[in-house]
Amino acid sequence: NVKVPTMTSDTAPSGVASASSSYSSNLPWKAFDDVRSSAWISTETANAWIQYEFPYAVCVNKFTFADREIDQYHRVVAAHLKASNDGINFTNLLDFNTPSDSSILNFVVTNTTKYKYYRILFDSYNDDMSSVGGGKGTMCYVFQTYGRA
């Protein structure tokens, strides 16, 4: 089985974590660090995305996602899991919605194709920024993929 390693930077220990934007020190790798209290936060109010690039193409058939467990003000509402081999042209693998709490969600993906890039594109989210101050945009706290080489 292949999965995203516990990241300690955007490029370590392997692969590349990236995003459409990042707010302050809330960098993309923090969505893949297995620490629920850390986070990637975008600066965008629409169409934010976060992705992981594997060192080689893999076939993902399951992924896990969660919002930050301590933050009700940036809850993701609708999103899509997408995949690509060139980082430009993406195939939609799954559309999903999230509950109003901070549950960890496990999804089974019907997929038989190996891809190098896996991305979550966020359509909409609850954005009550006036309650927390600071950054703008989407948050992602747990993003893990499982598959085979």
Side-chain angles (χ1 to χ4, degrees):
N1 285 344
V2 176
K3 69 177 215 159
V4 175
T6 301
M7 299 298 283
T8 56
S9 76
D10 284 342
T11 58
S14 65
V16 179
S18 60
S20 53
S21 65
S22 296
Y23 173 73
S24 189
S25 63
N26 301 96
L27 300 173
W29 69 270
K30 292 190 175 184
F32 306 98
D33 67 357
D34 291 335
V35 178
R36 192 86 190 268
S37 60
S38 71
W40 159 72
I41 304 175
S42 81
T43 60
E44 296 150 303
T45 57
N47 298 315
W49 56 264
I50 184 156
Q51 76 181 16
Y52 180 78
E53 176 188 351
F54 284 94
Y56 49 86
V58 300
C59 181
V60 167
N61 50 33
K62 176 184 167 189
F63 84 100
T64 301
F65 173 84
D67 282 330
R68 189 177 188 182
E69 66 183 345
I70 59 171
D71 193 334
Q72 65 189 4
Y73 303 107
H74 299 80
R75 184 106 22 242
V76 170
V77 177
H80 313 277
L81 177 66
K82 296 185 171 284
S84 172
N85 278 313
D86 62 9
I88 299 168
N89 301 297
F90 282 83
T91 298
N92 193 60
L93 299 180
L94 182 72
D95 301 317
F96 65 97
N97 294 313
T98 63
S100 58
D101 62 13
S102 59
S103 300
I104 295 176
L105 305 173
N106 294 297
F107 297 96
V108 173
V109 181
T110 304
N111 177 35
T112 57
T113 304
K114 292 181 180 182
Y115 295 102
K116 197 170 177 189
Y117 300 83
Y118 287 87
R119 175 183 288 187
I120 295 182
L121 173 65
F122 301 95
D123 276 349
S124 61
Y125 55 94
N126 173 20
D127 185 16
D128 185 6
M129 296 309 296
S130 61
S131 300
V132 293
K136 294 273 185 202
T138 306
M139 293 185 166
C140 182
Y141 301 88
V142 176
F143 175 29
Q144 180 57 266
T145 62
Y146 304 88
R148 62 187 191 285

